[in-house]
Amino acid sequence: MSKKILLSGIQPSGKPHIGNYFGAMKQFVEMQENHECYFMIVDYHALNTIQDAKVMRQNIVDLATDYLAIGLDPRKSVIFKQSDVSEHTELAWIFDTITTMPYLARAHAYKDAEAKEKEISVGLFNYPMLMAADILLYDADVVPVGADQKQHVEITRDTAQKFNHIYGETFKLPEAKILPDVAVVLGIDGRKMSKSYGNTIPLFAEDSEIEKAVMAIVTDSSGGVPKNVYEIHKLFRSEAELAELYKQHEGKYKALKEALIEDIKAFIRPLREKRKEVADDVGAVLDILKKGGEKAKEKASAKMDAVREKVGVKLY
Ligand code: TYM
């Protein structure tokens, strides 16, 4: 039986945090063992926020390094950047032509930006169409993501159905894979962990950064258990282990934070060491990305050819 196809991506918009890891990246590593995998660096999506070439270049190399450091393996998976496969933007355009503005205006990311009275680029408005193209070009069955991407995968399914309805069966409908326990990893202020809230614990943090972040976790003094500390601690230890620890240190927030610091340090240290090794050979990282791009292009261009045929622009 052929393997199911998995595709997922991360924006090269800064250092990944433990929310990205537990919500999505950890699944990438586990699932590469029994799926045909495509792991993307979605640089064209990130252009909505990163508009400095030097920063963009560095972020792309950094994220590729991160992917390799957590254990994504180019012998098992295709690791590539979106901009190496121009079919993504091409297909996004075709999706634009079958999608209405009111439909896209219902997207959470757009509505949030609008509520905050941000200046909204067409690229941000259109973001879900490019993401639909990312997924549908590879006939992905499964898309491991955090809960914040659920709507994007639903839009992808709607778009596939719409295209299939107009032009005939072309795209497979993908499923989001969201693990309930880590669907929304909380940050040090109790809101969703997010770079834009400045409430993250970076995945490859130095020991001093871990100490600083954990000591800054917002606690309230209403009960014996500091909720925001516990929520993060749950990522690193079983609830049974925590029950004992939190009973032992009931009401002692400093001791609980210190225990959390030790657990996070023990978890991050080997990842950070591995990352340093990978980062030593930038040439090898670039080579993996380049080859990954070539492989991805092969698959995407065959699909795109079929799409051009379906819409009637392929004449020779
Ligand atoms: P991005 O770059 O914002 O985040 C990468 C992944 O991390 C997950 N995540 C979280 N999970 C749990 N708790 C959190 N606090 C948390 N914060 C982030 C995200 O859900 C995501 O899985 N639109 C996507 C990138 C993308 C993509 C794709 C993903 C573009 N094309 C195709 C899958 C398939 C994004 O901005 O993720």
Side-chain angles (χ1 to χ4, degrees):
M1 222 179 77
S2 64
K3 289 180 177 173
K4 291 223 175 208
I5 300 174
L6 178 160
L7 179 136
S8 199
I10 297 184
Q11 296 197 54
S13 54
K15 289 182 184 173
H17 50 72
I18 61 170
N20 300 126
Y21 181 75
F22 288 101
M25 296 164 93
K26 185 163 181 261
Q27 281 68 257
F28 297 178
V29 183
E30 290 160 2
M31 293 175 82
Q32 75 176 337
E33 299 308 325
N34 50 10
H35 289 77
E36 176 185 331
C37 290
Y38 297 85
F39 296 116
M40 240 186 329
I41 294 173
V42 294
D43 46 0
Y44 276 163
H45 275 123
L47 272 180
N48 278 313
T49 46
I50 308 286
Q51 299 182 342
D52 175 320
K54 201 161 157 251
V55 174
M56 179 62 90
R57 261 195 298 271
Q58 188 61 49
N59 283 3
I60 294 171
V61 177
D62 284 347
L63 184 53
T65 307
D66 300 337
Y67 272 166
L68 297 169
I70 60 165
L72 295 188
D73 182 345
R75 288 163 302 183
K76 296 178 187 161
S77 300
V78 180
I79 301 168
F80 71 107
K81 69 179 167 74
Q82 192 182 34
S83 59
D84 279 346
V85 185
S86 52
E87 284 77 0
H88 291 237
T89 43
E90 185 180 355
L91 183 57
W93 172 257
I94 293 182
F95 289 159
D96 278 348
T97 64
I98 60 166
T99 303
T100 68
M101 303 254 296
Y103 176 81
L104 279 184
R106 292 201 293 272
H108 301 318
Y110 168 73
K111 286 206 297 197
D112 285 354
E114 208 189 20
K116 288 179 189 149
E117 293 184 4
K118 286 192 183 160
E119 206 166 82
I120 300 168
S121 66
V122 177
L124 179 79
F125 185 68
N126 203 30
Y127 187 109
M129 295 292 98
L130 182 55
M131 182 152 160
D134 294 343
I135 297 169
L136 297 175
L137 269 176
Y138 297 85
D139 287 327
D141 296 289
V142 56
V143 184
V145 282
D148 59 357
Q149 299 300 314
K150 184 168 184 267
Q151 191 192 36
H152 284 149
V153 179
E154 283 163 4
I155 293 174
T156 300
R157 290 170 62 92
D158 284 353
T159 306
Q161 273 175 316
K162 193 153 192 192
F163 186 99
N164 289 349
H165 179 72
I166 300 171
Y167 293 111
E169 203 55 33
T170 308
F171 294 114
K172 211 192 258 182
L173 302 194
E175 301 273 352
K177 182 160 190 290
I178 299 170
L179 299 183
D181 287 349
V182 284
V184 182
V185 172
L186 301 181
I188 61 170
D189 57 0
R191 293 186 292 170
K192 181 190 116 173
M193 187 173 288
S194 166
K195 273 166 243 163
S196 53
Y197 294 153
N199 64 357
T200 68
I201 300 177
L203 177 58
F204 299 99
E206 296 293 335
D207 283 354
S208 58
E209 282 178 275
I210 298 170
E211 287 161 18
K212 199 167 153 229
V214 173
M215 283 307 170
I217 295 178
V218 179
T219 52
D220 67 27
S221 49
S222 59
V225 174
K227 186 175 172 295
N228 295 339
V229 179
Y230 185 84
E231 284 299 322
I232 296 175
H233 220 154
K234 259 191 347 198
L235 302 167
F236 301 93
R237 275 186 191 270
S238 71
E239 305 226 9
E241 283 174 314
L242 289 183
E244 203 171 302
L245 184 73
Y246 278 67
K247 190 155 183 276
Q248 194 189 337
H249 295 297
E250 200 174 332
K252 296 186 196 131
Y253 291 4
K254 184 154 179 282
L256 289 168
K257 281 188 173 181
E258 277 163 4
L260 175 59
I261 287 173
E262 288 318 306
D263 285 340
I264 301 181
K265 279 185 185 170
F267 173 80
I268 286 185
R269 200 170 294 131
L271 285 174
R272 204 175 56 213
E273 297 301 316
K274 177 73 189 163
R275 194 185 185 288
K276 283 187 183 140
E277 257 172 55
V278 177
D280 264 351
D281 193 349
V282 177
V285 174
L286 293 180
D287 195 49
I288 288 167
L289 264 193
K290 184 160 181 275
K291 294 213 169 88
E294 286 159 8
K295 272 197 218 163
K297 176 99 185 167
E298 232 173 80
K299 179 136 179 143
S301 65
K303 189 77 189 181
M304 198 59 220
D305 216 41
V307 172
R308 288 192 209 102
E309 173 87 49
K310 293 270 181 169
V311 302
V313 298
K314 184 170 156 58
L315 302 184
Y316 28 80

